[in-house]
Amino acid sequence: MEMLKGNVAIAEAAIRVGLEAYFGYPITPQTELLEHLSRRMVELDRPFVQAESEVAAINMVYGAACAGVRVMTSSSSPGISLMQEGLSYIAGSDIPCVLVDIMRGGPGLGNILPSQGDYFQITRSAGHGDYRPIVLAPASVQEAIDFTVLAFDLAEKYRHLVIVAADGQIGQMMEPAELPAMRPLRTARPDWALTGKAGREKNVITSIYLKGEEMEAYNQRVQARIATIRTAEQRWVETDTEDADLLVIGFGTAGRVAYSAVEEARAKGLNVGLLRPQSLFPFPTERIAELAQQVSGILVVEMNAGQMLEDVRLAVGTSAPVDFYGRMGGMVPMPDEILTAIEDVYPVAIR
Amino acid sequence: MQHELIFSGFGGQGVMFAGQLLAYAAMDTGYHVTWIPSYGPEMRGGTAHCTVVISDKPIGSPVVRRPQIAIVFNKPSFDKYEPLVRPGGLLVINSSLVDDPVTRERLDVLRIPATQMAEQVGTPRLTNVVLLGALLAERPILPVNALCDALDAHIPAHRRNLLPQNIEAVRRGAAYAGDFETMGIP
């Protein structure tokens, strides 16, 4: 075990899993990630570029990914907004890419405090057009490491955009965690990559299909892939759900603080359980729908105005009442606030 | 068991490092631990704080509203955390910079002139380590020696020359707060 800051842990995990090139631009509360890579990538003789802007960085990532290079970038909320065009081009080109979003308070320039306000932005498309990135949401430094490793594996398995979405608190927190062993760098490039056509047929990577029929056929292939991802890649953890009358749902830091509140509620004799989605897309819809049949009420806790709440409502339908407790603007809910919200909702739940 | 602590003081007083050192010592002793800094709109000369949670089981919330223990390095931190420490908790006060009376009842208070003691060891920058030594002598959530071991294990190579001074600062803080002989400090 090593004591690691979330941002540093993600950076080092990416190196260990074989990150070949990094392009990025500093922004708090993500900067230690780039800072760690600026030292380590150079030590390991791998390309590291601090670009002139997020727009430049994501297009450098696009280029490297087209060449079959294991590549990533990272930023925080306003920087992710700047990257949206490039992200959409990447998604429209069927190339693997890993993006880390250490979310901060917004909208606008906002502040540098922890937030989950980018949920809509990153789970719906993270750019224009019809696609859904895979979105993984760690709640600890260990999960930040594990999901970074997983992100590269999923990105390459599906040739898909994968976003690791953590709030600023995960990025800034230190915890003991285990890093993966150093994997050797890849020597062979994928067969679809742009590596120079000498000795083989020409590869084309593009996101432009001028004919509507071709663009629609492309979209259908993307949607088929997303449907596979939807069934195969849902991830979540549950605590005390077996006999729960009230189900609390939260991800990332909000889910972790909710864990403490659920433990305190249990100590007070309330039958409360917790479900913490680890993948925000695909969302664990079926399991939540199943639990909605069992419980008498659901409380969603987020560090935003209620964004995952909409996915929960889609999953639950009319099976159970869904309540919400949220903090915004960089405020992190304390366990006692969530406990109060649980107690407020609970009598209704068992009515 | 779960211990929740907040370290608070001016930027530059070593508040963040104090929390990290305790976190390292807790990890090396085999506990679960989280360390979270305040990293908002802090400014030079303003106050900064960090929260450390130490537990024998996996930790849920790494943030706490009312800590069991607060270590206050300066007056603004005293003003903020004196009312927030939980009943029966401990307030460790750097009396070199804070001479305010504690008005609350059911609160253990340890006043220690940590900055002066640090100056006697060699530099006021050791204030944080003096306070940590005193804290663990007063509340043995970890052996005082675990701090010295953590310093030895995690101090960066280019700072290694500062190790003897740091260990001396831990010893003096611990000696001020507790019975030096029974703590088994080498």
Side-chain angles (χ1 to χ4, degrees), chain B residues 5-58:
Chain B
L5 306 92
I6 288 181
F7 295 80
S8 184
F10 288 127
Q13 281 187 303
V15 170
M16 298 300 169
F17 180 76
Q20 283 177 5
L21 181 59
L22 184 69
Y24 276 116
M27 174 180 76
D28 294 345
T29 310
Y31 290 116
H32 296 273
V33 62
T34 57
W35 174 91
I36 285 199
S38 60
Y39 73 94
E42 318 298 357
M43 61 184 94
R44 192 180 297 261
T47 58
H49 68 269
C50 65
T51 305
V52 177
V53 179
I54 300 171
S55 181
D56 55 6
K57 49 186 188 18

Side-chain angles (χ1 to χ4, degrees), chain A:
Chain A
M1 293 288 239
E2 287 176 62
M3 184 76 73
L4 292 164
K5 190 171 222 192
N7 282 332
V8 173
I10 291 171
E12 186 59 28
I15 282 180
R16 303 266 178 116
V17 79
L19 178 68
E20 293 177 279
Y22 176 91
F23 309 92
Y25 189 80
I27 181 170
T28 308
Q30 166 275 162
T31 297
E32 295 89 350
L33 202 167
L34 172 135
E35 189 182 16
H36 183 80
L37 289 174
S38 71
R39 193 180 71 251
R40 288 281 285 144
M41 293 294 273
V42 173
E43 269 173 21
L44 296 163
D45 200 24
R46 303 182 194 176
F48 170 94
V49 178
Q50 182 173 319
E52 67 268 37
S53 71
E54 288 87 347
V55 177
I58 194 64
N59 283 290
M60 292 175 189
V61 167
Y62 186 20
C66 287
V69 169
R70 190 167 286 167
V71 63
M72 72 178 279
T73 188
S74 56
S75 191
S76 179
S77 311
I80 304 295
S81 294
L82 281 166
M83 290 182 180
Q84 298 240 323
E85 182 194 44
L87 290 171
S88 178
Y89 279 48
I90 287 168
S93 301
D94 298 334
I95 49 175
C97 175
V98 172
L99 169 72
V100 179
D101 180 5
I102 308 293
M103 295 181 273
R104 63 186 234 181
L109 194 53
N111 60 30
I112 59 174
L113 297 167
S115 168
Q116 298 178 330
D118 300 356
Y119 183 94
F120 283 152
Q121 184 188 31
I122 55 181
T123 62
R124 265 44 194 173
S125 67
H128 59 279
D130 245 335
Y131 70 97
R132 307 287 294 266
I134 295 172
V135 182
L136 305 171
S140 65
V141 174
Q142 188 64 59
E143 277 191 351
I145 292 169
D146 297 345
F147 291 176
T148 300
V149 174
L150 179 64
F152 282 99
D153 291 343
L154 293 178
E156 282 158 24
K157 178 178 179 185
Y158 293 106
R159 288 171 62 181
H160 204 79
L161 173 62
V162 182
I163 301 177
V164 177
D167 53 81
Q169 185 157 292
I170 305 291
Q172 294 297 320
M173 177 167 58
M174 287 179 87
E175 274 187 297
E178 201 94 51
L179 284 162
M182 187 74 104
R183 285 193 206 169
L185 285 186
R186 273 195 310 203
T187 48
R189 299 282 159 225
D191 58 9
W192 50 261
L194 306 186
T195 54
K197 71 177 262 303
R200 62 159 169 78
E201 285 296 297
K202 180 167 81 171
N203 283 342
V204 177
I205 293 178
T206 182
S207 71
I208 185 168
Y209 298 86
L210 289 176
K211 290 182 182 150
E213 292 81 359
E214 288 177 9
M215 187 84 248
E216 185 175 51
Y218 172 77
N219 268 283
Q220 281 162 347
R221 289 201 302 278
V222 171
Q223 291 303 321
R225 187 202 312 152
I226 289 172
T228 306
I229 290 170
R230 224 187 252 275
T231 51
E233 304 299 345
Q234 294 179 21
R235 288 174 167 80
W236 71 91
V237 288
E238 292 179 29
T239 313
D240 294 334
T241 49
E242 304 77 24
D243 62 340
D245 292 320
L246 177 72
L247 178 67
V248 179
I249 305 177
F251 70 96
T253 288
R256 183 168 177 163
V257 177
Y259 174 85
S260 290
V262 165
E263 277 199 322
E264 286 175 41
R266 280 271 165 185
K268 287 183 159 190
L270 306 182
N271 288 336
V272 183
L274 175 72
L275 185 146
R276 179 167 64 78
Q278 295 172 305
S279 59
L280 303 182
F281 186 84
F283 193 68
T285 303
E286 288 75 18
R287 180 58 184 150
I288 289 173
E290 195 175 36
L291 284 168
Q293 303 290 331
Q294 168 200 318
V295 300
S296 310
I298 290 172
L299 174 68
V300 175
V301 180
E302 293 181 80
M303 281 145 58
N304 58 39
Q307 299 191 17
M308 181 185 68
L309 174 65
E310 295 194 2
D311 282 333
V312 171
R313 287 203 166 124
L314 283 171
V316 170
T318 55
S319 300
V322 180
D323 284 279
F324 177 70
Y325 181 77
R327 296 296 302 265
M328 293 173 287
M331 299 301 292
V332 177
M334 292 284 176
D336 61 343
E337 292 168 53
I338 299 178
L339 181 61
T340 302
I342 288 171
E343 288 173 326
D344 285 351
V345 171
Y346 192 76
V348 180
I350 56 169
R351 187 170 57 198

Side-chain angles (χ1 to χ4, degrees), chain B residues 87-109:
Chain B
L90 170 66
L91 185 64
V92 180
I93 301 170
N94 178 15
S95 60
S96 299
L97 297 183
V98 183
D99 56 8
D100 299 49
V102 173
T103 52
R104 289 195 34 207
E105 292 170 8
R106 295 188 55 218
L107 193 63
D108 292 339
V109 178

